[in-house]
Amino acid sequence: MTQFDVSQADCTSVRVSDSLENIIEQLRASSTPAEAIAIIEAIAAYRTPDAIPPLIEALSHHHPGVRAVATSQLIQLASLSLEALISTYYTATDQGVQAHIIQALAQIGDCQAIAILEEVVGVSVANHCQGNVRRIAARGLGKIGSTAIDAQIIHRAVDKLSWALLSPEDWALRYAAALSLAEIGTQEAIAVLQQALTQESDRVVQIRIRMALAGG
């Protein structure tokens, strides 16, 4: 497959004077990844709720570069996209779209997404791709837990991350959970890390836990 250079996207001309509706139609009719990326950026520049549905629709585009740019724009428009991302996650039938939504929600780190991230971390899966989504969700819980003011939200994040660190066979998920617990840094989170150190068998995860407990 030919690799697409995202840096070439700015060579594509988009008529920014067109109405948003017309630009959305241009996106659906775009014939190259470069064209699609330029149009996605033009849509996002409107910074209105009407820009969110076509950006979410672009998460199912066949080209990874287009999906990545759409995800990035949705993250930047978090105040407008958050509720739509959460709603779409529950209605989407495409696991790829759901994975991009989890990536966006994890980076946004808003406590409204905690239930989805808890659900994703806590689901037993068999394939590597879904495993990676779990790790992303675990890092999202770390961001939520480290920035939340509500003690109950922080406890929920620590509780799910505690399970992720102490229970699953996926060492990379345990590693992500250790990072997130260190990021949260409450007494409860530190206690979980101390407990995990007594039972962790993977050397890489052990090192990460020790670093976390040492403040690194």
Side-chain angles (χ1 to χ4, degrees), residues 57-177:
E57 185 179 331
L59 297 179
S60 61
H61 195 279
H62 65 87
H63 196 281
V66 175
R67 298 195 299 270
V69 171
T71 302
S72 176
Q73 294 296 337
L74 286 163
I75 293 167
Q76 292 181 44
L77 297 174
S79 62
L80 298 173
S81 66
L82 180 62
E83 291 185 6
L85 285 167
I86 292 172
S87 175
T88 303
Y89 176 83
Y90 287 115
T91 59
T93 56
D94 186 324
Q95 287 187 344
V97 170
Q98 288 183 318
H100 282 288
I101 290 174
I102 292 301
Q103 181 182 350
L105 293 175
Q107 292 194 46
I108 291 170
D110 190 285
C111 62
Q112 293 182 64
I114 191 169
I116 288 179
L117 299 181
E118 286 174 322
E119 177 183 324
V120 173
V121 168
V123 172
S124 297
V125 295
N127 68 64
H128 175 76
C129 178
Q130 288 176 307
N132 186 54
V133 174
R134 293 175 83 192
R135 295 188 282 274
I136 291 171
R139 295 298 290 124
L141 287 175
K143 186 167 186 177
I144 290 174
S146 65
T147 58
I149 299 174
D150 188 328
Q152 184 178 2
I153 292 293
I154 298 170
H155 173 73
R156 282 177 61 178
V158 171
D159 186 59
K160 180 54 67 175
L161 290 167
S162 173
W163 176 86
L165 181 58
L166 298 174
S167 301
E169 296 181 1
D170 181 356
W171 72 267
L173 176 58
R174 300 198 305 276
Y175 187 97

Side-chain angles (χ1 to χ4, degrees), residues 21-37:
E21 183 177 354
N22 287 340
I23 295 178
I24 292 171
E25 289 305 314
Q26 288 182 44
L27 176 60
R28 291 169 179 157
S30 60
S31 58
T32 67
E35 183 182 4
I37 287 173

